[in-house]
Amino acid sequence: MKITIKKIAELANVSRGTVDRVLHDRPNVTPETKEKVLRIIQELEYTPNLAAKALSSNTKCITISVVLAPDFNPFVAEIKKGVADAYEELRHFGLTLEVEVISTLNAEEQVKLLSRLEKKGVDGIAIVPIDSELVRDCINRLIRKGIKIVTFNSDIFNTERLCFVGQDNEKAGRVAFSLLENIVPAGSQIAVIISSLKLKCHQSRLTGFMAMLGKSGACIQTVSIDENQDKDELSYDIVKSYCKLYPQLKGIYITGGGVSGLGRALSEVGKARKIKVVSHDLVDPVISLMKEGIINFSIGQNPYVQGSLPVKILFNYIFKNEKPDREIYNTGVDIKTYEAL
Amino acid sequence: MKITIKKIAELANVSRGTVDRVLHDRPNVTPETKEKVLRIIQELEYTPNLAAKALSSNTKCITISVVLAPDFNPFVAEIKKGVADAYEELRHFGLTLEVEVISTLNAEEQVKLLSRLEKKGVDGIAIVPIDSELVRDCINRLIRKGIKIVTFNSDIFNTERLCFVGQDNEKAGRVAFSLLENIVPAGSQIAVIISSLKLKCHQSRLTGFMAMLGKSGACIQTVSIDENQDKDELSYDIVKSYCKLYPQLKGIYITGGGVSGLGRALSEVGKARKIKVVSHDLVDPVISLMKEGIINFSIGQNPYVQGSLPVKILFNYIFKNEKPDREIYNTGVDIKTYEAL
DNA sequence: ACAATTTATGTGTTCGTGCACAATAATAGG
DNA sequence: CCTATTATTGTGCACGAACACATAAATTGT
């Protein structure tokens, strides 16, 4: 049995127009009428027919922009695929989509782009925000203007963004630990190279990793934690010094970039494939090193979903008025070996 | 710029009705008219507005049935979630969905169910087919009657099913090898327990696994391959004899069920956590054993996609007349540790 | 009390397709 | 040549929601 506006109107002894006004919370309806209609709507569990909705309001399409930096590369392809699929699914409902790619990780440029989108009058934005005051203020301004914003891949705090779609970094850290624990002998010494202790996502990875260490039965020991700022040169130096300081070192967990430097150092000191390595993401240097067997596992974060879900969330909110049911949507913690790519 | 049937009609100097006839390949259009209209359609890259399409033809909805056996359990929840999400996405286009659960792996019952669906007049069926002549014949009969069928999770050969959605088992086998190679010392002896050498999917897993052995640089050796018919008792006996015959055994790859028996045997001979184990799927006994550390990795196969994709494929074919672009859709080879669940 | 407003409610039309039916053109049969 | 038949083409309406506009009821001011 199909519930339509017309049917509700009949049951409530009012016209279609009145039901429409109630549904859209428009003025000029007496409280009693409104309540009566609302009750019937709830009783019959009315849900609007999206096809009809799209058809009738297709003159004024929804516009959603996806903003992403093209730097983290093999990633971006998957993100774009996710965005494209979501669009294909939703365009029939009157969604217009624009993908804006900024070529730098520059906060000013991102703000400039956001301001342009604001002027253009987009309804929603999915963005990988750069964590800076400039961007934060800009995002909050757009949100106050009624533009809906979802962050993905990397979050930005103190904003009223709808929600965030990205990895559960603590879980990723726990998984990294369990992988290392599996591939090194019991009691082994392992070390951690973290991008920056200041960055939330890397902090979380470390937190998750260390939490596992604290558990009973943990059979490896962490001997050192160093920052490499995602830099190959720093990784290189750090790994070289590790090999000197800890000749018994059996594993390294590297939370971010700079894997090439690590690979070079390990090869030079003849420890490649002897010291086991767990890294993150499936960027090109990681894939190469996995192929060579120098990196044993890398933890992926499902860029496809990071592309598709924000678009869907924005659409559901703007078009269907369905609020996202949580503030953080975690994409997978995907364990990858070279063969599993 | 939006291309509609009306616009095409104007450009071709014909009526909407004629364009409609051309679009649906209906009779009574002169070849010249048809060609003219077809040319314009192609030139303007007309794509029908799905919303309008759904709206106009929502009296005669498409009906798709999903048939699955509830045996492989935690799985089924995810499959159902996938089905539900696909439905939620497509119901606005006039899709009706029915999920039929058969409680046995009995071929006759499955045939009975299929015949019922046939009489009922469903448009499409997504099914985990039981590999038997009975089912094969039945499926082919329904297909000849015009019912579209997609298989998932497990395929059935010599049928004209639209396509199959399931795991790439050879890849899974390769991944299993790489996991074992990572977690046992170089040169270790490992053994394989396969469900049945007669079942295609398990064969493929073994093929993938052995292919890796053949590669240069493979640093483990396989000492034994045995069938356990998914039975715990057989696993138990096999593992016990392994431990006796190969005191140096360091790893086991088990391609199917019967993991509990394996776990029991390992514990009894004091080899639990000493012999590393890679298994398949995330059924309850596997999860328990992963928690205990007895199974180190299990390879999942993305039941969510196995639920959602067949529904989408059927819908696209029946509603939009879009043929699937391949015959086999591989769902992921998901490496799982207990922490990554 | 009556016109001018404001507030509440009702109606008609639009979106793009699909399909039933109406109208016209072409052909066949006598 | 005219009618019966068939092939071809054209038109109207329905689907369900949104919105502009039309009407009716209630309120205000004088």
Side-chain angles (χ1 to χ4, degrees):
Chain A
M1 174 58 168
K2 218 172 297 165
I3 313 299
T4 67
I5 287 184
K6 196 176 151 201
K7 202 162 287 163
I8 291 168
E10 283 165 12
L11 287 168
N13 278 318
V14 294
S15 69
R16 286 160 31 232
T18 302
V19 176
D20 182 72
R21 276 179 282 269
V22 171
L23 279 170
H24 296 86
D25 221 23
R26 280 191 259 272
N28 299 331
V29 186
T30 50
E32 307 93 69
T33 315
K34 186 166 182 173
E35 209 198 334
K36 182 172 59 179
V37 172
L38 234 35
R39 216 186 44 239
I40 294 178
I41 286 174
Q42 293 204 324
E43 266 174 28
L44 302 190
E45 292 179 352
Y46 166 78
T47 45
N49 181 317
L50 284 198
K53 200 167 175 160
L55 189 59
S56 87
S57 52
N58 65 349
T59 34
K60 41 212 153 351
C61 293
I62 290 174
T63 305
I64 291 176
S65 288
V66 179
V67 181
L68 43 87
D71 304 78
F72 29 81
N73 228 318
F75 227 82
V76 162
E78 272 298 294
I79 291 182
K80 282 186 176 166
K81 208 171 143 215
V83 171
D85 283 2
Y87 175 61
E88 174 55 32
E89 185 184 321
L90 299 174
R91 71 185 173 86
H92 303 287
F93 294 120
L95 171 64
T96 311
L97 201 66
E98 282 163 23
V99 179
E100 310 266 354
V101 177
I102 335 184
S103 44
T104 62
L105 279 169
N106 183 302
E108 278 99 31
E109 282 204 41
Q110 198 167 63
V111 167
K112 221 183 282 173
L113 173 56
L114 283 171
S115 305
R116 215 178 64 226
L117 293 177
E118 179 192 7
K119 274 193 206 94
K120 216 177 185 177
V122 302
D123 303 282
I125 298 173
I127 187 170
V128 183
I130 293 163
D131 195 354
S132 99
E133 273 321 305
L134 270 172
V135 174
R136 194 186 326 278
D137 292 347
C138 179
I139 283 179
N140 278 328
R141 195 183 71 233
L142 298 215
I143 289 169
R144 276 195 299 276
K145 282 220 174 176
I147 298 175
K148 311 301 174 203
I149 295 185
V150 169
T151 56
F152 66 101
N153 189 267
S154 167
D155 203 5
I156 186 165
F157 297 96
N158 300 320
T159 58
E160 285 291 313
R161 55 146 183 61
L162 256 184
C163 63
F164 165 69
V165 177
Q167 188 165 45
D168 180 342
N169 287 297
E170 285 204 20
K171 184 177 176 185
R174 290 195 299 274
V175 168
F177 183 94
S178 75
L179 290 172
L180 271 175
E181 203 181 25
N182 265 313
I183 59 181
V184 300
S188 293
Q189 295 181 334
I190 54 101
V192 179
I193 301 177
I194 183 169
S195 290
S196 162
L197 282 161
K198 292 202 190 73
L199 291 175
K200 189 85 176 72
C201 64
H202 292 281
Q203 266 174 35
S204 303
R205 286 172 184 177
L206 186 59
T207 307
F209 190 90
M210 299 310 280
M212 292 288 290
L213 251 186
K215 276 198 172 177
S216 65
C219 59
I220 53 181
Q221 45 177 319
T222 304
V223 291
S224 189
I225 298 171
D226 291 84
E227 292 183 62
N228 76 337
Q229 314 294 345
D230 288 331
K231 297 224 165 64
D232 282 318
E233 312 83 62
L234 274 172
S235 303
Y236 178 84
D237 295 341
I238 292 169
V239 171
K240 279 238 161 164
S241 76
Y242 281 169
C243 294
K244 217 174 253 169
L245 280 167
Y246 313 105
Q248 294 305 314
L249 194 74
K250 289 287 180 344
I252 298 176
Y253 171 38
I254 177 164
T255 73
V259 291
S260 297
L262 170 145
R264 199 154 46 84
L266 285 178
S267 296
E268 284 183 16
V269 299
K271 290 278 196 174
R273 277 173 292 272
K274 299 217 174 75
I275 291 180
K276 306 294 182 181
V277 180
V278 172
S279 73
H280 273 271
D281 297 333
L282 300 168
V283 289
D284 289 333
V286 168
I287 292 171
S288 309
L289 289 167
M290 284 213 291
K291 185 172 187 178
E292 294 176 53
I294 294 175
I295 290 180
N296 301 81
F297 290 99
S298 192
I299 300 172
Q301 49 178 311
N302 210 335
Y304 180 88
V305 173
Q306 291 186 12
S308 62
L309 195 52
V311 173
K312 289 184 188 177
I313 288 172
L314 283 168
F315 179 82
N316 283 340
Y317 188 48
I318 298 169
F319 188 70
K320 300 203 252 171
N321 209 31
E322 277 174 21
K323 276 204 177 149
D325 53 0
R326 29 194 159 145
E327 214 206 327
I328 290 180
Y329 287 82
N330 283 322
T331 57
V333 174
D334 300 340
I335 302 170
K336 295 290 179 188
T337 62
Y338 182 69
E339 284 70 28
L341 286 181
Chain B
M1 175 57 168
K2 219 172 298 168
I3 314 298
T4 67
I5 287 183
K6 196 176 152 200
K7 202 162 287 161
I8 291 168
E10 282 166 12
L11 287 168
N13 279 319
V14 294
S15 70
R16 286 163 30 236
T18 303
V19 176
D20 182 69
R21 275 180 282 270
V22 171
L23 279 171
H24 296 86
D25 220 22
R26 279 191 259 272
N28 299 330
V29 185
T30 50
E32 306 92 69
T33 315
K34 186 166 183 174
E35 209 199 333
K36 183 171 61 178
V37 171
L38 235 35
R39 216 185 43 239
I40 294 178
I41 286 174
Q42 292 204 325
E43 265 174 26
L44 302 190
E45 293 179 353
Y46 167 78
T47 45
N49 181 319
L50 284 199
K53 200 168 174 158
L55 187 59
S56 95
S57 52
N58 65 349
T59 34
K60 42 212 153 348
C61 293
I62 290 174
T63 306
I64 290 176
S65 287
V66 179
V67 181
L68 43 87
D71 305 76
F72 30 79
N73 228 317
F75 228 82
V76 162
E78 272 298 295
I79 291 182
K80 282 187 176 166
K81 206 171 145 214
V83 171
D85 283 3
Y87 174 60
E88 173 55 31
E89 185 185 320
L90 299 175
R91 71 185 174 86
H92 304 287
F93 294 121
L95 171 64
T96 311
L97 201 66
E98 282 162 22
V99 179
E100 311 267 353
V101 178
I102 334 185
S103 44
T104 62
L105 279 169
N106 183 303
E108 278 98 32
E109 283 205 40
Q110 198 167 64
V111 166
K112 220 184 284 173
L113 173 56
L114 284 171
S115 305
R116 215 179 65 228
L117 293 176
E118 179 192 7
K119 274 195 207 93
K120 216 177 183 177
V122 303
D123 303 283
I125 297 173
I127 188 171
V128 183
I130 293 162
D131 196 355
S132 99
E133 274 320 305
L134 270 172
V135 175
R136 194 187 326 279
D137 292 346
C138 180
I139 283 180
N140 278 328
R141 195 185 70 233
L142 298 215
I143 289 169
R144 275 195 300 277
K145 281 220 174 176
I147 298 175
K148 311 301 173 202
I149 295 185
V150 169
T151 57
F152 66 101
N153 189 265
S154 167
D155 203 4
I156 185 165
F157 298 96
N158 299 320
T159 58
E160 286 290 313
R161 55 152 185 56
L162 256 184
C163 62
F164 165 68
V165 178
Q167 188 165 46
D168 180 342
N169 287 298
E170 286 206 20
K171 183 177 177 185
R174 290 196 299 274
V175 169
F177 183 94
S178 76
L179 290 172
L180 270 175
E181 202 181 27
N182 265 313
I183 60 181
V184 299
S188 292
Q189 295 181 334
I190 54 101
V192 179
I193 300 177
I194 184 170
S195 290
S196 162
L197 282 161
K198 291 203 191 75
L199 290 175
K200 188 86 177 70
C201 63
H202 291 282
Q203 267 175 34
S204 303
R205 286 173 185 177
L206 185 60
T207 307
F209 190 90
M210 299 310 280
M212 293 287 290
L213 252 186
K215 275 198 172 176
S216 65
C219 58
I220 53 181
Q221 46 176 319
T222 303
V223 291
S224 189
I225 297 171
D226 291 86
E227 292 184 61
N228 76 338
Q229 314 292 345
D230 288 332
K231 297 222 165 63
D232 282 317
E233 312 82 63
L234 274 172
S235 303
Y236 178 85
D237 294 341
I238 291 170
V239 171
K240 278 235 160 164
S241 75
Y242 281 168
C243 293
K244 218 175 251 168
L245 280 167
Y246 313 105
Q248 294 304 315
L249 193 74
K250 290 288 180 347
I252 298 176
Y253 171 38
I254 177 163
T255 73
V259 290
S260 297
L262 171 144
R264 200 155 44 85
L266 285 178
S267 295
E268 283 183 16
V269 300
K271 290 278 196 174
R273 278 173 291 272
K274 299 218 173 73
I275 291 180
K276 307 294 182 181
V277 179
V278 173
S279 72
H280 272 271
D281 297 332
L282 301 168
V283 289
D284 289 331
V286 168
I287 292 172
S288 309
L289 289 167
M290 285 214 291
K291 186 172 187 179
E292 293 177 54
I294 294 176
I295 290 181
N296 301 82
F297 290 99
S298 193
I299 300 172
Q301 50 178 310
N302 211 337
Y304 180 89
V305 174
Q306 291 187 12
S308 62
L309 196 52
V311 174
K312 289 185 188 177
I313 288 171
L314 282 169
F315 179 82
N316 283 339
Y317 189 47
I318 298 169
F319 188 71
K320 299 203 251 173
N321 209 31
E322 278 175 20
K323 277 207 177 145
D325 53 0
R326 32 197 157 143
E327 214 206 327
I328 290 180
Y329 286 84
N330 283 322
T331 57
V333 174
D334 300 339
I335 302 170
K336 295 290 178 187
T337 63
Y338 182 69
E339 284 70 26
L341 285 180

